[in-house]
Amino acid sequence: MSIHNGDIAAAFDEIADLLSIQGANAFRIRAYRRAAQNIRGLPHEIAEAADPASYEALPGIGADLAAKIAELIRTGRLAALQKLRRQVPPGLRDLLGLPGLGPVRVRALATALKIKNPADLRRALAAGRLAQVRGFGPAVRARLEQALERAPSEALKRMPIAQAAEYAEPLRRFLAAVPGVERAEIVGSYRRGRDTVGDLDVLVCAPPTVDPAAALRGYADLGALNAAGRTKASGVLRNGLQFDLRVVGSESFGAALQYFTGSKEHGIRLRQRARARGMKLSEYGLFRGQRSLAGPSEPDVYATLGLEWIPPELREDRGELEAAERHELPQLLERADLKGDLHVHTRATDGHDSLEDMVAAARAAGLTYVAITDHSKYLGIVRGQDAGRLARQCDAIDALNERLRGFTVLKGAEVDILEDGRLALADTALAQLDVVVIAVHSHFDLPEAKQTARVLRALERPHVTVLAHPSGRLLGEREPYALDFERVLSAAHERPCYLEVNGQPLRLDLDDVHVKAAVEHGVLLSIASDAHSVGQFANLEGGVRQARRGWARKGDVLNTRPIAQLRKLLRATRR
DNA sequence: GCCGTTTTCGGCCCGACTGTTTTCAGTCG
């Protein structure tokens, strides 16, 4: 079994949790957490590095953690972690996630009442035994009772960003329209363009005479307003989405925008930087002593710290501060850069709209070409096309192209990768196409070696141009299948072929980390809507956001090329 | 446990709120 970055990060996170329950030095714990976070964001697999000595060059990894990484990769286990697991009952870690329970209170429960897991806690609460423990007043007990009643999965569930947007934008508009409010922005992971959001962070700019939180009571979609001061409130929308509201004056708006956009790690790095320069950064501004150096404008906050303004999508502490310091931030891809879309369905298979309507919608979306990629015939795919129907669709496309001016329809298919790595359509059928998108739609649970061999074998086929939704994940529904992405990336680079960033709200696949890996390997990306109806070209925006989070520039993306250049790049994949 | 525009030792981000307290620890974002 090979060790992935996620495994290493998970091990370090677990060590951090267990150490915190033991009451270890807080900075030591933080070192483990930072290391885990950094490792998760790496665009390459640590285990693939030739030389274990290189681990120490990674940010936040010193001699000790480098040795632990080496041990984990070599043996698949970590003695230090196993020792901790023997010392700390496993259920205690589950308690850490409950509201109001940090390491100190968890430790108090374990020592005072011998509580070892959530079930113990539930019994102790019911028996009224918690009241005798210091730090567990009536309010804390009530919150715990509530939390234990709720299904834990529900409380932790994150919402896909496209879905969150349907609630975020009306909320933002409502607040922006409150008399006296100067600006309202959705910040947090939403502004950073993460694939999912846990809650909405809303920042409002208003003078002290205005009380936006009070105005929120009149918001139709409000479920409940909890803590509601003038400058800080939190609540929940009717659909269950949590939100936090902060209100600041215009003198602080830029600093607050920075602060509440996060990420946490990015913010910490920024405040460290301020401190090292004798300044102090908070949501109220950047100060030297009492003197304010920056505050109203977010770019000024960065500039005063010697940094270029960093686009929110990059603010994950994955090297953006260093790049900003050297003026080497990438010029990120923008939606307007996209000239076409290479993954689109019609009602010939599982789409809702006709070829003509999809083409018209693509034009309306500002594109100049589109590839029609209906499904190949295969088990489980409704009305998939065989070679005969595909040939007739190609004729229809030829005829349509005759009538079109300034727009090109490319002939394509989304072809299933069978369990053994063969494709669901014969090479002869694929030879007539401009774009061959291949994808896994079945047998998601193969072991990693088999799944990887399957995809690699499919990539060997002569007419393949794009590997679609390479991880197969569906947010909140299906985990990525086990795949050695590093090897797929190398194969794609060598072949060459292109990797898709699927913009469907539940896919967003590749994810940000894999996009960055592809960019660094020089593998071009295809930002695709995977539209199944005329409205779904809007998915392209999600794909662009995801690609930006992976540091993609215009030049890193296949479908920013004008049609003539695109055709050249497509031909380069043929064998 | 990491790391150096103050440092190879001694620091390590910031502020608010909550609840439980008699002045603040713990949690949260």
Side-chain angles (χ1 to χ4, degrees), chain A residues 61-72:
Chain A
I61 308 291
D64 184 278
L65 292 186
K68 287 195 167 67
I69 293 172
E71 180 191 349
L72 194 54

Side-chain angles (χ1 to χ4, degrees), chain A residues 157-161 164 189-190 194-200 241:
Chain A
K157 197 152 179 158
R158 295 176 65 89
M159 185 180 282
I161 189 167
S189 51
Y190 183 89
R194 271 195 63 173
D195 44 24
T196 57
V197 300
D199 64 2
L200 292 178
L241 188 59

Side-chain angles (χ1 to χ4, degrees), chain A residues 97-137:
Chain A
L98 294 171
L101 280 194
V104 175
R105 290 199 180 115
V106 167
R107 194 160 59 249
L109 289 176
T111 51
L113 297 178
K114 304 279 175 267
I115 284 171
K116 292 195 185 64
N117 51 51
D120 286 351
L121 177 60
R122 201 175 278 120
R123 277 190 294 273
L125 267 169
R129 285 188 285 135
L130 244 62
Q132 47 185 292
V133 187
R134 190 185 166 81
F136 290 86

Side-chain angles (χ1 to χ4, degrees), chain A residues 557-569:
Chain A
V557 175
L558 178 65
N559 49 318
T560 58
R561 307 294 203 273
I563 183 73
Q565 277 185 44
L566 175 88
R567 283 191 187 279
K568 258 188 221 165
L569 286 165

Side-chain angles (χ1 to χ4, degrees), chain A residues 454-483:
Chain A
R454 172 191 190 187
V455 172
L456 291 178
R457 185 170 174 208
L459 288 177
E460 285 294 307
R461 303 308 309 159
H463 301 295
V464 170
T465 45
V466 177
L467 176 62
H469 41 76
S471 89
R473 73 167 182 180
L474 287 176
L475 290 168
E477 292 177 18
R478 189 169 71 212
E479 291 298 307
Y481 37 75
L483 189 70

Side-chain angles (χ1 to χ4, degrees), chain A residues 147-218:
Chain A
L148 285 169
E149 276 170 31
R150 271 203 312 268
S153 59
E154 205 53 41
L156 297 173
K157 197 152 179 158
R158 295 176 65 89
M159 185 180 282
I161 189 167
Q163 190 186 345
E166 294 173 23
Y167 302 97
E169 290 306 323
L171 178 60
R172 191 193 65 75
R173 283 197 300 272
F174 176 87
L175 285 164
V178 171
V181 165
E182 294 162 35
R183 280 182 75 176
E185 297 292 340
I186 311 293
V187 288
S189 51
Y190 183 89
R191 183 167 178 238
R192 299 201 310 280
R194 271 195 63 173
D195 44 24
T196 57
V197 300
D199 64 2
L200 292 178
D201 296 298
V202 191
L203 179 65
V204 169
C205 182
T209 50
V210 179
D211 190 348
L216 256 189
R217 294 188 191 282

Side-chain angles (χ1 to χ4, degrees), chain A residues 455-516:
Chain A
V455 172
L456 291 178
R457 185 170 174 208
L459 288 177
E460 285 294 307
R461 303 308 309 159
H463 301 295
V464 170
T465 45
V466 177
L467 176 62
H469 41 76
S471 89
R473 73 167 182 180
L474 287 176
L475 290 168
E477 292 177 18
R478 189 169 71 212
E479 291 298 307
Y481 37 75
L483 189 70
D484 187 336
F485 182 71
E486 204 92 340
R487 291 185 63 197
V488 170
L489 201 51
S490 297
H493 182 258
E494 203 170 312
R495 191 184 188 286
C497 73
Y498 311 115
L499 295 182
E500 184 179 86
V501 180
N502 189 297
Q504 279 197 50
L506 289 189
R507 287 198 184 272
L508 295 174
D509 178 9
L510 301 173
D511 70 15
D512 50 0
V513 171
H514 285 147
V515 167
K516 196 167 185 214

Side-chain angles (χ1 to χ4, degrees), chain A residues 167 171 216-226 234-243:
Chain A
Y167 302 97
L171 178 60
L216 256 189
R217 294 188 191 282
Y219 187 55
D221 258 349
L222 182 73
L225 201 58
N226 305 328
S234 69
V236 56
L237 299 180
R238 282 191 182 183
N239 72 339
L241 188 59
Q242 302 274 339
F243 66 87

